[in-house]
Amino acid sequence: MSVKPMSYPLMEKLVALSRRRGFLFKSSEIYDGINAVYDYGPMGVELKRNIKNLWWQDMITSREDVLGMDTAILMHPRVWEASGHVQNFHDPMTECKKCKRRYRVDHLPENTAVCPECGGELAEPKQFNLMFKTRLGSTDEGAMDVYLRPETAQGIFVNFDNVVSSNRVKLPFGIGQLGKAFRNEITTGNFIFRTREFEQMEMEFFIRPGENAQWLEYWSQERLKWFVSLGIAPEKLRLRPHGKDELAHYSSACYDVEYEFPYGFSEIEGIADRGTYDMTQHIEFSRKNLHYIDQDQRGEKIVPAVIETSAGVDRTVLTVMADAFWEDETNDRIVMRFAPKVAPFKAAVFPLFKKEGMPDVARRLYEDLRKHVATVYDDGGSIGKRYRRQDEIGTPFCLTVDHESLNDHAVTLRDRDSLEQVRLRILSDS
Ligand code: GAP
């Protein structure tokens, strides 16, 4: 189905809130922006960083069987020949002969021959390669064509032997990384759902061939649970197996974790059985011995198979934001109901008035709190305005210092979602 960008009220509200509160801006906005590229503002970068840190913590730090890496965006061009991206990383594209708009053929209703925007005739579909090409080297003669990586995974495959020979690892084990990827998408839109520059959180899990089905099932369930752990409503998440016609050129089976956006269930992560495809290709193209030597099986040489988990950071940010957005009509406010662990700030401290010692107590409380959790100090405008501001950036707890606080060493703690207020003792200086 063709989807017009920004045609859904929730998406439009998210775009407006993101701009108003500093989550996301169009890249190069003062020059009218650049299509499908976004900058994260002060609130957005905190939200995004929290998501990336949680992924790293849950997928790498807390697991004995997964190691981390951070590989370069630019790689030798042979990598992309070996991986099959030069030959296969295409989308079918058509162009309107009248208005010149371009469409992905698989995003149009079946057998459409006319432009959905102007009714003009659509040209014969062509295959369009999604990789961005650039030149590496200072002189024209010495320069070579290289690509901005369209997935982070290849950096892991080409380093398989480096990791195995420099670390004590045994199959099955994983290597994960997060970083930028680039795709010259034909159709973009729905805010940061499909952009041309984005980040991925990928993990390649190396296994003995034959164990594919059990690990595909294991990682699909693990990854679905991870999104629930971010506070996303479980009933809006699902796992969907790919049909044979949807599979990428390297994969023999795949599950998508999908979230129900206003425009329908859409992929936020893919869990794919890449089999031995990538390792076999790199062995052939590089002529290097990238086999795993199984010491437990008297030195048997194995080409490991791979189960991949591949999530988009930006799609996760969008999912978390779409799921958290709440128009509380009873109280006439907009609230981002983020789980505290992803919220940009966990607490806000307000002095009720900028006088009579209140700011001193409030600042001391703020300085204490920020040593432990991300905290914001706000003394601008009415208390109601300050609450609204924090609601819109999703701060779960607001603490107000008032006249009484000076005597009873207590503050009013207000819960973002229930609006319940309780009096909470804070430690006095003595
Ligand atoms: N290494 C496998 C791979 O890249 P993919 O399904 O093409 O698989 C994985 O991408 C994830 O990367 C997607 O589930 C999505 O979250 C994210 N992603 C892919 N293309 C994107 C784009 N143009 N904009 C934002 N995120 C994107």
Side-chain angles (χ1 to χ4, degrees):
M1 196 182 70
S2 126
V3 173
K4 274 195 207 164
M6 308 306 173
S7 53
Y8 298 92
L10 173 63
M11 302 309 285
E12 281 168 19
K13 286 172 190 170
L14 282 180
V15 173
L17 178 131
S18 292
R19 206 180 175 292
R20 185 165 75 245
R21 294 297 178 199
F23 282 91
L24 283 140
F25 309 112
K26 250 183 165 315
S27 164
S28 328
E29 200 184 72
I30 60 167
Y31 294 98
D32 296 333
I34 172 166
N35 194 259
V37 188
Y38 287 87
D39 296 335
Y40 283 79
M43 292 308 116
V45 75
E46 295 295 339
L47 174 63
K48 183 182 186 187
R49 192 170 283 271
N50 290 339
I51 288 169
K52 291 199 289 187
N53 288 347
L54 284 164
W55 183 87
W56 194 268
Q57 171 64 32
D58 295 338
M59 291 293 284
I60 316 256
T61 317
S62 69
R63 292 196 65 113
E64 214 178 340
D65 56 354
V66 184
L67 298 170
M69 280 202 88
D70 184 8
T71 72
I73 288 171
L74 298 177
M75 301 181 75
H76 195 286
R78 289 278 285 164
V79 168
W80 305 110
E81 289 171 30
S83 70
H85 282 78
V86 171
Q87 222 184 343
N88 300 310
F89 200 52
H90 295 115
D91 277 337
M93 183 189 79
T94 179
E95 192 177 79
C96 171
K97 290 184 179 172
K98 197 165 140 203
C99 71
K100 305 290 174 210
R101 278 195 181 83
R102 290 178 162 189
Y103 300 97
R104 244 174 84 167
V105 176
D106 55 337
H107 285 182
L108 291 170
E110 240 173 89
N111 302 322
T112 304
V114 291
C115 172
E117 284 295 329
C118 75
E121 189 191 342
L122 291 175
E124 230 3 74
K126 287 192 284 208
Q127 290 298 331
F128 179 80
N129 193 287
L130 301 183
M131 284 196 294
F132 279 103
K133 213 184 243 184
T134 185
R135 300 275 289 164
L136 186 113
S138 52
T139 59
D140 271 354
E141 308 85 68
M144 69 172 165
D145 284 339
V146 292
Y147 299 98
L148 301 184
R149 65 181 177 195
E151 61 169 7
T152 70
Q154 296 302 325
I156 294 174
F157 297 132
V158 301
N159 275 292
F160 176 77
D161 193 47
N162 288 336
V163 173
V164 171
S165 59
S166 59
N167 293 270
R168 287 179 54 243
V169 284
K170 273 187 177 186
L171 291 184
F173 72 91
I175 306 174
Q177 75 167 325
L178 44 82
K180 291 268 184 179
F182 303 83
R183 294 183 191 175
N184 200 2
E185 299 280 0
I186 299 166
T187 49
T188 54
N190 285 326
F191 199 19
I192 52 169
F193 183 81
R194 184 169 286 107
T195 53
R196 295 199 163 102
E197 174 177 339
F198 55 97
E199 269 185 277
Q200 290 186 315
M201 308 180 273
E202 298 203 298
M203 194 277 300
E204 310 302 320
F205 200 69
F206 298 92
I207 59 171
R208 281 187 181 74
E211 296 176 354
N212 308 40
Q214 82 194 56
W215 283 113
L216 182 64
E217 171 65 18
Y218 170 82
W219 280 113
S220 300
Q221 295 299 337
E222 283 297 295
R223 297 307 303 148
L224 179 65
K225 279 190 260 171
W226 186 74
F227 286 98
V228 177
S229 81
L230 298 184
I232 297 164
E235 64 277 12
K236 299 199 88 182
L237 289 164
R238 73 177 187 193
L239 269 179
R240 187 182 68 79
H242 271 207
K244 287 278 170 238
D245 56 335
E246 290 177 89
L247 292 168
H249 64 272
Y250 48 73
S251 130
S252 59
C254 183
Y255 282 91
D256 280 349
V257 179
E258 295 187 333
Y259 178 77
E260 191 177 15
F261 289 100
Y263 42 89
F265 272 101
S266 307
E267 171 190 352
I268 49 180
E269 170 154 0
I271 301 97
D273 177 358
R274 294 181 80 129
T276 54
Y277 174 83
D278 299 274
M279 296 308 290
T280 306
Q281 289 291 101
H282 286 303
I283 289 170
E284 191 187 319
F285 277 68
S286 70
R287 306 224 171 118
K288 297 283 178 339
N289 184 1
L290 306 178
H291 297 86
Y292 174 84
I293 310 296
D294 194 343
Q295 303 299 354
D296 295 343
Q297 298 295 325
R298 285 193 242 104
E300 185 195 352
K301 267 171 85 176
I302 298 176
V303 179
V306 173
I307 301 300
E308 170 185 77
T309 69
S310 176
V313 176
D314 313 82
R315 274 192 202 176
T316 308
V317 169
L318 183 63
T319 306
V320 165
M321 290 186 78
D323 202 64
F325 187 88
W326 177 41
E327 279 169 320
D328 177 4
E329 283 165 11
T330 316
N331 298 294
D332 189 25
R333 61 183 189 140
I334 289 172
V335 189
M336 292 303 271
R337 286 192 286 189
F338 294 132
K341 64 181 178 181
V342 296
F345 290 107
K346 319 303 176 198
V349 177
F350 311 150
L352 185 59
F353 296 117
K354 283 194 214 171
K355 55 183 185 186
E356 295 167 33
M358 280 177 248
D360 296 344
V361 177
R363 278 217 77 87
R364 271 205 304 278
L365 176 61
Y366 164 64
E367 296 296 347
D368 275 355
L369 272 177
R370 68 195 287 232
K371 285 181 202 145
H372 307 283
V373 289
T375 307
V376 61
Y377 182 85
D378 190 357
D379 62 4
S382 71
I383 204 81
K385 269 202 179 130
R386 283 183 259 173
Y387 279 144
R388 295 292 171 269
R389 217 164 17 233
Q390 296 308 319
D391 289 343
E392 290 202 1
I393 61 170
T395 309
F397 303 107
C398 293
L399 299 124
T400 304
V401 172
D402 56 23
H403 295 102
E404 276 306 295
S405 309
L406 308 179
N407 303 318
D408 67 0
H409 299 293
V411 294
T412 302
L413 179 133
R414 176 249 202 197
D415 180 87
R416 178 194 66 199
D417 301 343
S418 67
L419 295 180
E420 247 173 39
Q421 300 200 355
V422 290
R423 207 64 189 159
L424 188 79
R425 268 189 73 76
I426 52 171
L427 292 178
S428 66
D429 287 346
S430 53

